[in-house]
Amino acid sequence: MKISRRNFLAVAGAVAAAAALTACGGSSSSTASSTASSAASSAAASTADGAEKIVKVALTCDTGTIDDESFNQACWSAVSSYMGDNCQYYIPEADASDEDRETMIRQAVNDGADVIVCVGYLYGASLAWAAEQYPDVKFIAIDVTQGDIGTDAIPANCYCITFKEEQAGYLAGYAVVKDGYTKLGFLGGMAVPAVIRYGYGYVQGADAAAKELGTNIDINYFYGGQFYGDANITSRMEGWYANGTQIVFACGGGIYTSAVEAALKNNGYVVGVDVDQNYIGVNGVEKDGYAYNPFVTSAMKGLSESVATALSDIEAGEWSQIAATNGNFGLEDGDYIGLPTADGSWNFKTFTVEDYEALKSKIASGEITVDNSSDDATKPTVSEFTNVTYIV
């Protein structure tokens, strides 16, 4: 189901990253109260014109926290901006199981949530259980498909939101090679479908630019197996940069911290993910006489916008139009995918905004097709100009 352009534009301005993380309450999976107010089967109140008033929204994470400056934070920003005080987040313990995720959903319902935003494909099996257990609760599932849920159809009280991350990765890979980078890296978090699509899109875009330029490029490709940085991953990234890697696409929640730390030590650069991460860049570090920010660009998808639009659709009485569907958003649907073009975030040297817009148009029109494989074993086909080293 395609989110209307009207709704997208109406809410886009309301979900800035500056949304206060303290706007609503939060709980860990081990401490959230399960004895609070009535279950959400009392649900959203209908108004005379058929619209619904959302009582409370819960956001449940599958891994990581809501201050990861990436995936989780973008979704929480939308919820907290839209709902004010009437929302709560739930954070899992490390290595959470399906049962743990079911517990978080149960806690959210007991705490009064009538809409629950489940963040991450790991919620698939838990949603199959929750949708049947709580038929009056509305579930918005981010990066979750029918295949993840495992039912014959998407449950009637569930709306899935996915993105064509391969297009965002393609834009970033193409842009950095066109800008002169020839030694690239991809640092993924866990090899989950969205991360795989980002990475394989990045390889395809970089290869396309290399072919156009007739330039040989090298790409190191590695999954860290986690969505956070640590000393081991930082050490690996330092090795990459020290051995000639110029720029790394850090794709996977907080794992970017290791890439940034290593980049700063080695005069390297980084591509951010999910949201415009330029603001994280460390300004004031002198490099060749100017303030050095390691972020060149970010491969973004409309997480905040799509979540806020879904909440808006519920309150507009349009839930029936999106329930039991999978909104899968790419450039064909509008600006749900892209690179940041604001003056402060456009840190390319020669690749221009005009070049970028022309590339976007070719993808949106279908002139350029990006392979959307999310099977880690089905690696992209590249030309003789591109050498990819997949590191296990």
Side-chain angles (χ1 to χ4, degrees):
M1 185 74 176
K2 182 177 178 180
I3 289 179
S4 70
R5 184 70 173 165
R6 170 183 60 80
N7 281 338
F8 176 81
L9 292 175
V11 301
V15 292
L21 295 176
T22 57
C24 313
S27 303
S28 71
S29 62
S30 61
T31 61
S33 170
S34 60
T35 59
S37 60
S38 62
S41 54
S42 57
S46 295
T47 63
D49 60 1
E52 297 184 42
K53 179 65 177 176
I54 298 173
V55 175
K56 184 176 182 179
V57 177
L59 182 139
T60 59
C61 298
D62 68 352
T63 184
T65 66
I66 49 84
D67 58 356
D68 63 359
E69 297 179 306
S70 183
F71 183 76
N72 290 313
Q73 184 167 331
C75 294
W76 174 243
S77 175
V79 169
S80 58
S81 291
Y82 194 94
M83 292 302 298
D85 292 333
N86 298 320
C87 55
Q88 187 166 0
Y89 60 82
Y90 299 80
I91 299 172
E93 300 287 356
D95 302 318
S97 64
D98 289 340
E99 184 177 281
D100 295 328
R101 284 181 280 274
E102 290 173 8
T103 296
M104 285 192 287
I105 291 172
R106 186 181 299 110
Q107 289 170 340
V109 173
N110 288 341
D111 288 344
D114 54 324
V115 177
I116 300 179
V117 180
C118 297
V119 180
Y121 92 107
L122 292 175
Y123 271 97
S126 301
L127 278 165
W129 166 83
E132 182 176 358
Q133 185 76 17
Y134 303 110
D136 295 320
V137 175
K138 295 176 175 65
F139 293 94
I140 301 171
I142 312 301
D143 279 359
V144 179
T145 66
Q146 178 187 333
D148 299 323
I149 298 172
T151 49
D152 292 337
I154 296 172
N157 56 339
C158 182
Y159 171 47
C160 296
I161 297 175
T162 54
F163 300 90
K164 297 177 182 177
E165 292 92 353
E166 68 277 4
Q167 294 180 353
Y170 188 101
L171 291 169
Y174 184 94
V176 298
V177 172
K178 280 287 191 174
D179 206 49
Y181 297 93
T182 59
K183 306 293 184 183
L184 285 60
F186 175 78
L187 170 62
M190 297 174 68
V192 301
V195 174
I196 294 169
R197 287 193 294 269
Y198 267 130
Y200 285 0
Y202 182 66
V203 170
Q204 292 174 71
D207 180 59
K211 285 191 292 186
E212 289 182 14
L213 295 170
T215 299
N216 293 321
I217 65 170
D218 296 296
I219 305 175
N220 284 328
Y221 197 106
F222 175 70
Y223 297 113
Q226 59 195 45
F227 288 119
Y228 55 90
D230 63 17
N232 289 332
I233 294 176
T234 299
S235 177
R236 182 181 289 273
M237 292 301 101
E238 288 177 351
W240 281 13
Y241 285 116
N243 287 311
T245 296
Q246 299 162 307
I247 188 165
V248 173
F249 181 13
C251 179
I255 204 167
Y256 79 86
T257 58
S258 281
V260 169
E261 183 178 351
L264 290 172
K265 293 178 180 178
N266 293 274
N267 293 330
Y269 292 93
V270 176
V271 174
V273 74
D274 287 338
V275 299
D276 180 5
Q277 292 186 316
N278 180 73
Y279 72 95
I280 301 171
V282 181
N283 292 298
V285 176
E286 290 297 318
K287 181 177 184 294
D288 299 330
Y290 62 88
Y292 168 45
N293 181 341
F295 282 90
V296 171
T297 190
S298 298
M300 306 186 302
K301 59 185 184 183
L303 291 160
S304 292
E305 295 85 354
S306 60
V307 170
T309 299
L311 296 175
S312 175
D313 286 346
I314 291 172
E315 292 209 307
E318 298 176 359
W319 172 250
S320 63
Q321 298 182 33
I322 60 175
T325 71
N326 186 164
N328 184 34
F329 302 111
L331 289 171
E332 304 90 333
D333 307 293
D335 292 332
Y336 288 94
I337 295 293
L339 308 179
T341 57
D343 288 343
S345 298
W346 191 264
N347 297 321
F348 294 108
K349 301 182 293 292
T350 60
F351 187 68
T352 67
V353 174
E354 292 73 21
D355 296 332
Y356 163 68
E357 293 295 344
L359 180 63
K360 276 177 59 183
S361 295
K362 290 180 180 178
I363 297 174
S365 69
E367 181 178 345
I368 294 175
T369 302
V370 188
D371 182 6
N372 67 350
S373 173
S374 59
D375 177 1
D376 189 37
T378 309
K379 298 183 169 51
T381 300
V382 295
S383 71
E384 69 274 17
F385 294 100
T386 300
N387 175 54
V388 187
T389 301
Y390 294 96
I391 303 167
V392 178

